Amino acid sequence: MVKNDIRDVKLSKKGALRIEWAGTNMPVVKSIAGRFRKEKPLKGIRIGACLHVTTETANLMTALADGGAEVSLCASNPLSTQDDVASSLVADHGIPVFAIKGEDNKTYYKHINSVLDMKPHITMDDGADLVSRLHSDRKDLVKNIIGGTEETTTGVIRLKSLEAKGMLKFPIIAVNDALTKHLFDNRYGTGQSTIDGIIRATNHLLAGSVVVVAGYGWCGRGVAVKARGMGAKVIITEINELKSLEALMDGFDVMPMSEAARLGEIFITLTGNINVIRAEHFRVMKDGSIVANSGHFDVEIDIPALAKMSKKRRVIRDFTEEFTLSDGKKIMLLGEGRLINLAAAEGHPAMVMDMSFANQALSAEYVVKNAAKLGNKVYSVPEELDQRIAGLKLASKGIKIDKLTVQQKKYLASWEIGT
Ligand code: ADE
């Protein structure tokens, strides 16, 4: 048995079936895996991955292994691991996994160190925790690294901050910035899976509810549209003028959280910032308000403040904790304020992770092929890869599209023809 720290290896049978199920909706990753098996572009490469341990991630891990890579995986969030998947990766695929759903913070970082112990050549992060360790406690391992990839908005922000300070020690491909990632995964994936998580945790009816969405980035837009589609009245809170205007013109009410807090019934944060919902907001919320986060880290809701204001707290359902304030008002916190779509549901559906993880696989291959040319910067996914993934996805759905005629190409390259 390969090295691991997982819940229970006996869960592997269920995990294997669910991984297979997800795989049927990941045709792009499957086609890349097919090519990887023949070409072995990752032969001899050790990839340390810190990703949500889900059925979709399992399909990415096996694709990388098909490409000849040695992979090792830990969780990118203490609550997002699917224990049966971890078990199948270890038992059926011989991939070392260090992840247990519900692990405490100490174990979470111990697991990150276990992955780093394999001395990776490539890091594959979702939130930049591997890279952050490599720039602090595990600096000695940087010499082995040829590059990394980053899955999410929050991670890219952290990495760009390292780059801006001149501290980034190896190149990173910002998978999140690929159009085939954030326009689909962040919008449609987060949109659906966040609502899924809230419903699984509460069984609350969205129709007729007032839903406050904090943040109108791609994730917030996705959630707002899905909530409205299910009959909720949606309020947007934002700090950015353009995004606020866009939300208004998309037909949503826009106001500060101080006002929205009085009106909302369900609150969802997706801002990437800290203490977006805090004591002053809890104070004016309605009795029974539901508060959830779908941003990367559990910092968006000021949970210590909520705890301090409360005289009693109890877990009333799986992933639903009831806080009773001193005046008797109750506030429901979902999934410990961690990303609710992965804590209480299964994260984004395979159909959308197919594109995100195709970007991961092709970016890893790109790093291997171009390592010598890359500086210590955060790079976008090359447009050619983005287009290739979109093309493969369309082809997998049997959809053909038009091509420019010779005349149209000439027209687009000219300035002479007007009205
Ligand atoms: N991030 C969001 N959804 C995910 C999923 N299903 N698998 C891995 N990472 C995710």
Side-chain angles (χ1 to χ4, degrees), residues 51-57 82 126 151 185 193 341-342 346-349 353 357:
L51 300 169
H52 301 298
V53 181
T54 65
T55 53
E56 293 75 25
T57 299
Q82 297 171 6
D126 186 335
E151 170 78 7
D185 165 320
S193 62
N341 60 339
L342 281 140
E346 293 168 71
H348 307 345
M353 291 314 294
F357 284 166

Side-chain angles (χ1 to χ4, degrees), residues 220-242:
R221 285 168 222 213
V223 171
V225 167
K226 300 293 172 225
R228 177 163 65 188
M230 292 185 75
K233 182 173 160 48
V234 179
I235 298 171
I236 305 294
T237 70
E238 246 302 337
I239 47 87
N240 177 292
E241 287 85 354
L242 271 172

Side-chain angles (χ1 to χ4, degrees), residues 79-322:
L79 260 192
S80 62
T81 298
Q82 297 171 6
D83 290 317
D84 57 339
V85 170
S87 165
S88 173
L89 280 171
V90 169
D92 305 324
H93 301 278
I95 293 179
V97 181
F98 307 90
I100 300 172
K101 187 172 178 99
E103 63 197 16
D104 59 20
N105 273 16
K106 197 167 153 236
T107 312
Y108 175 77
Y109 284 106
K110 187 181 90 183
H111 285 162
I112 287 182
N113 277 323
S114 301
V115 162
L116 291 175
D117 287 344
M118 62 116 58
K119 301 190 173 67
H121 301 116
I122 291 184
T123 58
M124 195 168 269
D125 251 327
D126 186 335
D129 278 344
L130 282 180
V131 173
S132 142
R133 293 291 92 195
L134 285 164
H135 284 71
S136 48
D137 302 346
R138 305 295 306 265
K139 285 195 187 109
D140 56 306
L141 297 174
V142 168
K143 58 181 181 298
N144 308 309
I145 310 267
I146 58 168
T149 64
E150 172 52 54
E151 170 78 7
T152 200
T153 318
T154 294
V156 172
I157 290 170
R158 293 179 86 189
L159 295 165
K160 287 197 170 154
S161 153
L162 266 178
E163 183 189 5
K165 291 177 178 138
M167 289 165 63
L168 187 62
K169 290 194 165 30
F170 48 87
I172 302 279
I173 309 293
V175 164
N176 182 69
D177 293 356
L179 299 181
T180 44
K181 200 280 183 182
H182 69 266
L183 290 184
F184 298 87
D185 165 320
N186 296 23
R187 186 166 32 163
Y188 306 114
T190 307
Q192 177 167 313
S193 62
T194 299
I195 302 292
D196 185 13
I198 291 171
I199 292 175
R200 289 199 209 191
T202 62
N203 201 21
H204 196 92
L205 182 70
L206 282 184
S209 295
V210 180
V211 173
V212 177
V213 176
Y216 203 63
W218 289 109
C219 294
R221 285 168 222 213
V223 171
V225 167
K226 300 293 172 225
R228 177 163 65 188
M230 292 185 75
K233 182 173 160 48
V234 179
I235 298 171
I236 305 294
T237 70
E238 246 302 337
I239 47 87
N240 177 292
E241 287 85 354
L242 271 172
K243 287 181 184 167
S244 303
L245 189 59
E246 190 180 359
L248 190 71
M249 296 209 178
D250 285 345
F252 298 109
D253 286 339
V254 179
M255 61 187 77
M257 185 59 86
S258 53
E259 288 173 34
R262 297 173 190 277
L263 306 174
E265 287 155 8
I266 302 176
F267 294 81
I268 310 166
T269 53
L270 310 97
T271 68
N273 214 330
I274 59 167
N275 295 342
V276 176
I277 299 183
R278 43 190 188 265
E280 69 204 70
H281 305 127
F282 294 128
R283 222 167 273 130
V284 297
M285 277 181 189
K286 292 184 183 172
D287 185 27
S289 288
I290 293 167
V291 184
N293 167 52
S294 211
H296 186 79
F297 286 121
D298 60 340
V299 296
E300 305 209 14
I301 301 165
D302 189 352
I303 301 170
L306 180 59
K308 211 166 150 202
M309 295 164 77
S310 302
K311 59 180 183 195
K312 189 175 153 204
R313 52 194 281 190
R314 60 176 178 154
V315 174
I316 189 160
R317 285 169 61 93
D318 287 351
F319 307 109
T320 303
E321 192 171 3
E322 178 194 78

